[in-house]
C-alpha cells in the first residue's frame, strides 16, 4: 500500500531529524568530554590522554578513522568520523580513556534496534534510490513485515503489544539512550 503524501512527508521529516539529533548529540558528547564536562553528579570527566582544546579533540576523532594523514587545524566536517554510528562514539570514548566511558557504553547497549535500523530508513528518505529502498525494506523484516513494506508504512506500524508506532518507539529509544549517556 502506498502511503499518503502527508504521512510520507511526516515520516521522512521525523526520521531525518531523529538521526540528525542522535549524530549531533554523539558529537557534542564527545567534544564535551574532551573539554572537561561534568557528569550529573558534578564530577569532572577526565580523559587520558588529555586533549588540550577543541582542535586536539577534533584531530583525534578525525585521525582515528581517517584513511589518510590529516593536519591539526585543517580538518573539515567531511574529515570527522561518522557520528551516526554508535560504534564511533564507543571507540572514541574508549580511546580517550574518558572516566564516563562505561556509562556511555552502557547507554549504547540499550535494548533497541533504533541505531541500527534508523540510518537505513533515514537514508531512504534522504536519497530515495533503489539501493536505499532495498536496505530500508530489509529493516521491515526485523519487525515481522515483508520486504515489500514501504518505509513509511514500516514507520507508522504498531508492533503487536506496543502502544505506539515503530517511529514513535524510535523517538523514545533515542531519548532514553541520550539521557542515559549524559548522566
Amino acid at each position: 500500500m502506498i502511503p499518503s503524501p502527508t504521512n510520507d512527508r511526516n515520516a521522512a521529516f521525523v526520521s531525518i531529524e531523529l538521526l540528525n539529533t542522535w549524530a549531533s548529540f554523539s558529537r557534542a558528547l564527545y567534544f564535551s568530554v574532551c573539554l572537561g564536562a561534568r557528569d550529573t553528579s558534578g564530577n569532572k570527566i577526565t580523559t587520558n590522554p588529555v586533549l588540550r582544546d577543541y582542535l586536539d579533540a577534533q584531530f583525534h576523532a578525525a585521525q582515528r578513522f581517517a584513511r589518510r594523514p590529516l593536519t591539526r587545524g585543517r580538518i573539515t566536517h567531511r574529515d570527522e568520523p561518522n557520528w551516526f554510528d554508535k560504534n564511533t562514539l564507543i571507540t572514541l570514548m574508549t580511546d580517550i580513556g574518558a572516566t564516563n566511558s562505561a556509562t556511555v557504553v552502557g547507554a549504547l547497549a540499550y535494548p533497541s534496534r533504533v541505531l541500527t535500523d534508523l540510518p537505513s530508513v533515514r537514508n531512504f528518505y534522504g536519497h530515495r534510490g533503489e539501493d536505499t529502498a532495498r536496505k530500508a525494506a530489509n529493516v521491515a523484516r526485523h519487525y515481522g513485515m515483508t520486504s515489500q513494506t514501504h518505509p513509511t508504512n514500516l514507520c507508522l506500524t504498531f508492533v503487536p503489544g506496543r502502544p505506539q508506532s515503530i517511529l514513535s518507539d524510535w523517538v523514545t529509544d533515542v531519548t532514553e539512550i541520550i539521557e542515559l549517556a549524559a548522566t
Side-chain angles (χ1 to χ4, degrees):
M1 176 162 91
I2 297 175
S4 74
T6 300
N7 285 346
D8 191 62
R9 190 171 39 255
N10 291 340
F13 178 80
V14 172
S15 296
I16 291 168
E17 290 304 313
L18 183 59
L19 192 59
N20 286 344
T21 297
W22 164 252
S24 295
F25 170 79
S26 180
R27 184 177 189 275
L29 180 64
Y30 167 75
F31 282 107
S32 296
V33 166
C34 290
L35 300 175
R38 296 186 179 275
D39 64 20
T40 55
S41 300
N43 299 317
K44 185 173 181 180
I45 300 168
T46 60
T47 63
N48 184 18
V50 173
L51 300 166
R52 296 172 304 182
D53 57 22
Y54 172 82
L55 293 177
D56 274 356
Q58 184 187 42
F59 178 76
H60 177 83
Q63 191 63 57
R64 176 64 173 82
F65 295 95
R67 294 189 180 115
R68 63 183 173 78
L70 299 172
T71 304
R72 183 184 185 277
R74 301 190 59 124
I75 295 169
T76 68
H77 173 72
R78 289 193 170 276
D79 296 321
E80 287 191 14
N82 177 4
W83 296 108
F84 296 141
D85 184 350
K86 72 178 183 179
N87 292 314
T88 297
L89 187 57
I90 291 170
T91 298
L92 290 173
M93 296 296 284
T94 303
D95 279 358
I96 63 173
T99 53
N100 70 331
S101 64
T103 300
V104 174
V105 170
L108 292 170
Y110 189 83
S112 171
R113 292 190 52 85
V114 64
L115 296 178
T116 303
D117 296 341
L118 179 60
S120 295
V121 173
R122 178 266 173 233
N123 287 344
F124 165 76
Y125 289 120
H127 306 287
R128 297 208 188 240
E130 186 178 321
D131 186 48
T132 60
R134 186 173 45 258
K135 289 178 182 176
N138 285 334
V139 170
R141 294 180 189 173
H142 294 287
Y143 298 89
M145 293 173 238
T146 70
S147 62
Q148 303 303 312
T149 304
H150 190 280
T152 297
N153 294 333
L154 164 71
C155 288
L156 301 178
T157 296
F158 284 55
V159 173
R162 295 295 305 144
Q164 58 190 10
S165 69
I166 290 170
L167 187 55
S168 293
D169 275 343
W170 288 350
V171 170
T172 300
D173 293 347
V174 168
T175 302
E176 286 294 318
I177 292 166
I178 288 171
E179 288 176 0
L180 290 169
T183 58

